[in-house]
Every structure is written in structure tokens, then in C-alpha cells.
């Protein structure tokens, strides 16, 4: 059996100057070719989990491996889509420039962006319905359009494993539809996708698996098995009903 | 007076003045380019701190050059090496204070700036009391001067400026990415820390070669003002860098000419004021982002 796309053992994160750990002793194996939602209440450590796995914040662990090797050596096979709030929207770049950034790894250090790269990036913008906005400065797009441009950048990396931090947060219906259909297409292509998701109501209709967190791992597996009333009341510390689809 | 100015501007002054003017134009272009990335990376205040932190290095470099009997102490490569060394030390201090204490970056930046600058001033007055060395002119490192550069010094400034410009072009795509989205860059395969170090190193190099003509107090303005001026005219990173380079070069050309033709006006101050006049023009009259056009637009809306 090939090694899992993501294999995490005993991962803990302790932020500087905070008493409580943000995440404790998380064990998790991602199932290949599945669309998995990372869910849990605000402050549960969902984004922290992805950031720690990517090595963006300090953490302790016995193992963080992708495809059987340390994540740090596999970054060309992984794409990370940060939360939309993480950039300066007044920055002088166009939607096309941002999508092209997904190709930088392939272009290589010190090598210039050529026309063929821009044409390729334009293709990814087209996939998310943003080709007509290619030359627009990034701040002049709506929130949903910005999110689609970020998705185009992620697609341009053409990875085997996707980490997405709240791609569906605060987007319009059109954007949600486009993002969901692309996630489904990626799944058909055999990609493994982990998505931080905040909306319990839609988990069942969009995702195969779920990882339920609140500082510790509460449950993982198929959505129906994870989103039980007892698991949810442990995670949310109050009764919650989810639509398991 | 006006004739003198035109004379310098048309490169009809003495050969040495022409050489200094040319080297300053190269410096302005390099400063505008690196300054664009400094501005986009939001490192303007760090740049100001590091340029002030060059002062003790200049003084120490002078003392070393005197001890080694190099050109009466006024040996530019030694002075610049000292300047780069203490600027780097200042940068490390900022980083150390930030990571090892509970103090914020602005506290770290402010204290390193004043302590290093204060140390430099003390060293300068100690040098004034030294027997050896020709210390006259060392204080021009504060505000800059267009006269007094030798031929080899102007050549050094031009050569280094060209190297900086080439490096900035080669690293354009990498610098743009770390400035725009550092988190995404760190999640990818790019060596973000090394690129940040490269940007810092290029910035220190520009500060050092600008010490004699622009001076360490005002060099930050030569990097930042052209970049923010350029921002008024474009929404494209590449165009921003080119416009900033042109604005930096033009500011140096006009400012240094003014300083060379009028008595007792430090070059650094004239260059910065020239750059500021471009900024003011752009601030009011730039087509899309200028105050006039945006107030007209909000009036119509």
C-alpha cells in the first residue's frame, strides 16, 4: 500500500506566552483521494493544524510526513491556500500576477516569468471564471473573486495534496458553486484535499470525510460517523445539530 | 546662479563634477529599485535604523584606516566596510530584541537607531581629537556632499549601483512574492529567509554607497519617496520598480546639480527635497490615485 498523503503523529502546538496549548497530541492520517473537512468551533486550532503541518509555525511532533517523507521535502507536491485576510489588498499586483505565482516553483529561482507562463496562468483563471478580470488590480475584486484568484494560484501549482484555509468563508453563491465544483473535479483526478470549514450545515453535502478538532482530536472518518450529536457536543461544549446529508 | 545650475545640469561643469553627478544618478536608480521592495515589504523604518547604524562603522573604519596608514584615514572601501558591518550588527540587534524579549519591533527599531547613532557621534568627536589622519569631511557622511569624491570613488559607486540593479532585476519575481504574500511563499519551495537576507543586504549596500553623496540621515528618503511616488502612477509591481528607479535617478540628478551649483546646500537634503516635489506633484495630480482625481470622482459619485 502506498504511504498516505499526510501522516501526522503526536502533533502539538504551544503559542508563545499562552498558558494552554493550541493543539495537543494530534494523530491524523489523510485518506488518499478524499475531500476532507477540518471542523470545530472558533479557536479550535483548525488553521493552526494546517500551519503547523506546513511548518509555518513552531510545533512538536513525532512525525509529519507527506507521501512517506517529511513534509519539508515534499513541498513541491503540496499547495497551501492561506486565509484571504492574510495579504495587503492594495498591493500593486493583478489577478494574473497572483495566479502566475502558483507557477514560480516550476519556473525556478532567478528565472523570469515568460509569456507562456502567463498564458498558462490565464488558463487557471479561466477555470475559476476569472479570465475576464486578469488585468484587474487584486484589491478591486470582490471577496469571492479574490478567493477564486487565490484558488487559481493554488491550481497552478498542480499538487497532489491540497490544504485550504476557509476557502468558502464569506464568498458569494456563484463563487461557492465554482469552488465546490473544482474541489469535486480535483477529487475525480485523484487529489487529496483538506479544507478548513466553518459551516457545519454544509459539511455533509460537500465532503467525504471530516476531522473534528477542539484543541485535541475529537473524531475523524466519514462525515456521518464524525458528526454525531455526542461528538459535536464534546467539540462545541453545547448541543449542536449538523446536517450530515 | 541659475546659469551655474544649468551648467551642471547639462554636464558642462568640471569633469569631476560630471563624474559625481553620473554616479549619483546610478545611485538614485539603484535606491529607487531597492526602495520599491523595502516599501512593499514595509521595512522603511528598519532601513532608517540601519542607515543610522552605519555611523559608528564609518568612524571605526576611519580609525582602522588611520592605523593601517591608508590614505590618511579617508579610504572609502574601509569606511564602507565598517559602515556595512555596524548596519548589519544593528539589524541583528533589532531581530534579537524582537525575538528574545517582549518588546515590540518599533521599540527595537527606535532604540537601536538612537543608540548606534549616539555611539557614532561619540566616536566622531573622539576622532576630532586624534592626532593622525585627515578627518576633515568625515561629517559630510551625515548629510552628503557632491564635491570631494575621487574618480575611483565615483567608479566604485557606479559599479556597485549597476550590480544592485542587476540583482534586483534577477530577484524581481521572488521579491514580489515575499512582499505580497509571505505566508504563501513560506509554504512553498522558495527560500524566504535567504531572500529576505538578500533584500536586507542590497539595502545595506545602497545605504553604504549613498553615504558620501546623500548622507546617512536622509538616505532612507531616497529609497522610500520614489517608491511611494511611483505607487500613484501604477498598479503593477514591475512598472512601480521602473518608475521608482527613474524618479530616484531624476531626483539625484536635479538635487545633486542644485547642491553643486549653490553654495552650502548639502546634497542629501537637496536630493530628498527634489524627490519630495515629485511626490507632491503625484499626490495631487496622478490620474487615478491622486487627490484631485479621487475627489472629482467622489464628487460625481
Amino acid at each position: 500500500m502506498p504511504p498516505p498523503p499526510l501522516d501526522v503523529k503526536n502533533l502539538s502546538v504551544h503559542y508563545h506566552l499562552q498558558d494552554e496549548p493550541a493543539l495537543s497530541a494530534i494523530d491524523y492520517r489523510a485518506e488518499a483521494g478524499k475531500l476532507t473537512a477540518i471542523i470545530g468551533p472558533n479557536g479550535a486550532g483548525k488553521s493552526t493544524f494546517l500551519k503547523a503541518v506546513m511548518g509555518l509555525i513552531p510545533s512538536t511532533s513525532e512525525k509529519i510526513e507527506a507521501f512517506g517523507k517529511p513534509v519539508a521535502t515534499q513541498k513541491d507536491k503540496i499547495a497551501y491556500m492561506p486565509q484571504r485576510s492574510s495579504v495587503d489588498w492594495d498591493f500593486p499586483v493583478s489577478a494574473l500576477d497572483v495566479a502566475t505565482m502558483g507557477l514560480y516553483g516550476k519556473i525556478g529561482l532567478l528565472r523570469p516569468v515568460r509569456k507562456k507562463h502567463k498564458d498558462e496562468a490565464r488558463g487557471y483563471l479561466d477555470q475559476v471564471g476569472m479570465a475576464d478580470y486578469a488585468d484587474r488590480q487584486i484589491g478591486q475584486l470582490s471577496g469571492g473573486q479574490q478567493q477564486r484568484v487565490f484558488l487559481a494560484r493554488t491550481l497552478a501549482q498542480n499538487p497532489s495534496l491540497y490544504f485550504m484555509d476557509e476557502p468558502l468563508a464569506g464568498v458569494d453563491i456563484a463563487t461557492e458553486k465554482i469552488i465546490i465544483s473544482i474541489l469535486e473535479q480535483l477529487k475525480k483526478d485523484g487529489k487529496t484535499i483538506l479544507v478548513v470549514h466553518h459551516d457545519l450545515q454544509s459539511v455533509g453535502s460537500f465532503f467525504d470525510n471530516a476531522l473534528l478538532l477542539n484543541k485535541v482530536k475529537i473524531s475523524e472518518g466519514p462525515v456521518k460517523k464524525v458528526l454525531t450529536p455526542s461528538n459535536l457536543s464534546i467539540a462545541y461544549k453545547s448541543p449542536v445539530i449538523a446536517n450530515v446529508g | 546662479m541659475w546659469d551655474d545650475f544649468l551648467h551642471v545640469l547639462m554636464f558642462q561643469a568640471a569633469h569631476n563634477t560630471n563624474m559625481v553627478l553620473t554616479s549619483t544618478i546610478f545611485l538614485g536608480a539603484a535606491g529607487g529599485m531597492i526602495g520599491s521592495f523595502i516599501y512593499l515589504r514595509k521595512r522603511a523604518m528598519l532601513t532608517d535604523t540601519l542607515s543610522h547604524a552605519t555611523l559608528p562603522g564609518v568612524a571605526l573604519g576611519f580609525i582602522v584606516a588611520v592605523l593601517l596608514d591608508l590614505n590618511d584615514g579617508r579610504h572609502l572601501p574601509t569606511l564602507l566596510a565598517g559602515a556595512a558591518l555596524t548596519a548589519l550588527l544593528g539589524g541583528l540587534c533589532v531581530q534579537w530584541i524582537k525575538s528574545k524579549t517582549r518588546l515590540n519591533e518599533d521599540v527595537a527599531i527606535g532604540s537601536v537607531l538612537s543608540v548606534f547613532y549616539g555611539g557614532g557621534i561619540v566616536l566622531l568627536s573622539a576622532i576630532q581629537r586624534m592626532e593622525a589622519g585627515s578627518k576633515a569631511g568625515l561629517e559630510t557622511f551625515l548629510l552628503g556632499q557632491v564635491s570631494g569624491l575621487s574618480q575611483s570613488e565615483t567608479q566604485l559607486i557606479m559599479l556597485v549601483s549597476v550590480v544592485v540593479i542587476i540583482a534586483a532585476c534577477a530577484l524581481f519575481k521572488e521579491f514580489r512574492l515575499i512582499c505580497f504574500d509571505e505566508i504563501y511563499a513560506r509554504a512553498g519551495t522558495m527560500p524566504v529567509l535567504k531572500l529576505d537576507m538578500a533584500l536586507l543586504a542590497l539595502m545595506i549596500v545602497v545605504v553604504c554607497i549613498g553615504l558620501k553623496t546623500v548622507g546617512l540621515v536622509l538616505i532612507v528618503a531616497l529609497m522610500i519617496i520614489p517608491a511611494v511616488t511611483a505607487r500613484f502612477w501604477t498598479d503593477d509591481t514591475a512598472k512601480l520598480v521602473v518608475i521608482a528607479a527613474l524618479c530616484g535617478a531624476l531626483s539625484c540628478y536635479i538635487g545633486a546639480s542644485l547642491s553643486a551649483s549653490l553654495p552650502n546646500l548639502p546634497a542629501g537634503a537637496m536630493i530628498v527635497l527634489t524627490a519630495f516635489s515629485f511626490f507632491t506633484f503625484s499626490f495631487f495630480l496622478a490620474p487615478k490615485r491622486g487627490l484631485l482625481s479621487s475627489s472629482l470622482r467622489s464628487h460625481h459619485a
Side-chain angles (χ1 to χ4, degrees):
Chain A
M1 212 179 99
L6 179 67
D7 192 353
V8 174
K9 208 166 171 198
N10 201 11
L11 171 70
S12 297
V13 176
H14 206 138
Y15 280 118
H16 193 48
L17 306 174
Q18 276 186 5
D19 298 333
E20 301 274 303
L23 281 176
S24 292
I26 308 285
D27 291 340
Y28 178 69
R29 254 173 196 235
E31 201 179 336
K34 296 281 182 191
L35 190 48
T36 303
I38 303 173
I39 49 178
N42 284 335
K46 305 183 292 287
S47 301
T48 301
F49 176 72
L50 288 189
K51 284 184 189 153
V53 167
M54 288 308 286
L56 297 172
I57 53 172
S59 65
T60 58
S61 64
E62 279 169 52
K63 176 157 85 172
I64 305 178
E65 287 183 354
F67 309 104
K69 291 183 190 136
V71 162
T73 65
Q74 299 291 90
K75 283 186 164 178
D76 54 332
K77 299 192 184 68
I78 308 171
Y80 171 70
M81 181 168 158
Q83 262 179 51
R84 206 166 53 81
S85 56
S86 68
V87 303
D88 170 10
W89 294 109
D90 194 42
F91 199 94
V93 283
S94 65
L96 183 61
D97 291 332
V98 174
T100 312
M101 287 173 187
L103 298 168
Y104 282 8
K106 191 170 108 181
I107 296 169
L109 213 57
L110 294 173
R111 290 173 192 281
V113 174
R114 298 195 186 283
K115 189 177 174 295
K116 61 172 182 187
H117 302 124
K118 292 205 168 185
D119 290 342
E120 190 181 342
R122 212 179 282 273
Y124 290 107
L125 281 181
D126 195 31
Q127 275 189 40
V128 297
M130 288 297 293
D132 291 343
Y133 300 86
D135 298 321
R136 206 62 88 75
Q137 192 266 336
I138 187 82
Q140 289 161 12
L141 302 171
S142 73
Q145 292 172 326
Q146 289 168 346
Q147 196 68 291
R148 283 191 261 161
V149 172
F150 274 20
L151 179 61
R153 178 176 72 173
T154 314
L155 294 173
Q157 283 179 261
N158 192 24
S160 309
L161 176 59
Y162 288 77
F163 294 139
M164 302 185 181
D165 201 346
E166 299 261 19
L168 297 168
V171 301
D172 52 281
I173 302 286
T175 299
E176 184 176 286
K177 272 189 182 155
I178 290 171
I179 293 180
I180 293 294
S181 82
I182 284 177
L183 292 181
E184 271 163 5
Q185 184 56 48
L186 290 174
K187 197 177 80 174
K188 270 189 206 137
D189 296 342
K191 315 280 188 180
T192 306
I193 309 141
L194 269 73
V195 178
V196 172
H197 193 61
H198 64 288
D199 178 19
L200 283 181
Q201 300 307 317
S202 57
V203 173
S205 43
F206 298 155
F207 295 92
D208 308 311
N209 290 350
L211 166 63
L212 179 59
L213 296 176
N214 192 1
K215 315 279 184 195
V216 296
K217 183 177 84 181
I218 291 164
S219 177
E220 68 170 295
V223 170
K224 276 186 189 166
K225 207 192 103 200
V226 172
L227 294 191
T228 61
S230 72
N231 279 340
L232 289 172
S233 70
I234 297 171
Y236 288 80
K237 310 234 161 47
S238 63
V240 180
I241 296 166
N243 179 0
V244 294
Chain B
M1 190 188 85
W2 181 245
D3 287 345
D4 284 348
F5 175 57
L6 285 182
H7 212 60
V8 177
L9 216 52
M10 304 305 283
F11 287 91
Q12 280 161 4
H15 175 67
N16 196 49
T17 310
N18 291 341
M19 287 297 289
V20 172
L21 198 56
T22 313
S23 74
T24 314
I25 292 169
F26 275 85
L27 168 72
M33 272 182 127
I34 294 304
S36 303
F37 297 113
I38 301 282
Y39 155 67
L40 294 173
R41 193 89 179 94
K42 302 184 170 59
R43 294 275 157 87
M45 286 316 294
L46 182 68
T47 304
D48 199 26
T49 296
L50 299 196
S51 54
H52 280 76
T54 57
L55 187 58
V58 170
L60 289 171
F62 179 82
I63 294 170
V64 169
V66 168
L67 294 176
L68 296 176
D69 213 10
L70 293 167
N71 195 21
D72 258 357
R74 291 164 67 182
H75 184 246
L76 195 61
T78 313
L79 299 182
L80 296 192
L85 202 70
T86 50
L88 200 63
L89 197 65
L92 290 175
C93 285
V94 170
Q95 195 53 44
W96 185 82
I97 294 172
K98 241 171 62 181
S99 60
K100 298 289 176 203
T101 71
R102 280 168 174 252
L103 299 171
N104 291 331
E105 182 166 17
D106 66 325
V107 176
I109 281 177
S111 45
V112 168
L113 184 151
S114 23
V115 170
F116 275 69
Y117 188 67
I121 295 287
V122 169
L123 282 171
L124 274 191
S125 32
I127 286 171
Q128 298 303 325
R129 285 195 298 276
M130 272 170 56
E131 301 263 311
S134 112
K135 48 246 177 189
L138 213 50
E139 69 286 348
T140 61
F141 278 81
L142 295 180
L143 292 173
Q145 195 181 45
V146 277
S147 58
L149 277 180
S150 73
Q151 178 120 10
S152 64
E153 288 168 349
T154 56
Q155 282 166 354
L156 177 73
I157 291 173
M158 272 190 268
L159 181 73
V160 175
S161 300
V162 170
V163 171
V164 168
I165 290 168
I166 292 171
C169 291
L171 288 167
F172 171 76
K173 135 176 147 294
E174 285 76 12
F175 283 164
R176 168 159 73 181
L177 180 60
I178 63 169
C179 293
F180 173 61
D181 197 345
E182 183 195 345
I183 296 174
Y184 175 77
R186 283 173 54 212
T189 51
M190 221 176 245
V192 175
L193 187 67
K194 283 183 190 152
L195 289 166
D196 252 338
M197 290 295 137
L199 181 56
L200 200 70
L202 288 170
M203 180 253 274
I204 290 177
V205 167
V206 171
V207 168
C208 287
I209 58 171
L211 283 180
K212 265 209 123 167
T213 39
V214 184
L216 61 91
V217 177
L218 295 174
I219 185 82
V220 64
L222 176 61
M223 296 206 237
I224 300 303
I225 298 177
V228 289
T229 302
R231 186 67 187 89
F232 283 110
W233 298 91
T234 180
D235 276 336
D236 181 280
T237 325
K239 286 181 192 147
L240 178 108
V241 173
V242 172
I243 297 171
L246 289 174
C247 175
L250 206 58
S251 305
C252 281
Y253 171 52
I254 297 172
S257 300
L258 282 169
S259 169
S261 49
L262 302 169
N264 292 326
L265 287 173
M270 296 317 290
I271 288 171
V272 167
L273 289 178
T274 310
F276 180 70
S277 68
F278 289 130
F279 168 84
T280 312
F281 176 79
S282 311
F283 177 78
F284 287 109
L285 297 174
K288 258 160 63 187
R289 297 172 66 96
L291 195 64
L292 186 66
S293 87
S294 54
S295 66
L296 279 180
R297 235 176 303 134
S298 65
H299 198 72
H300 282 294

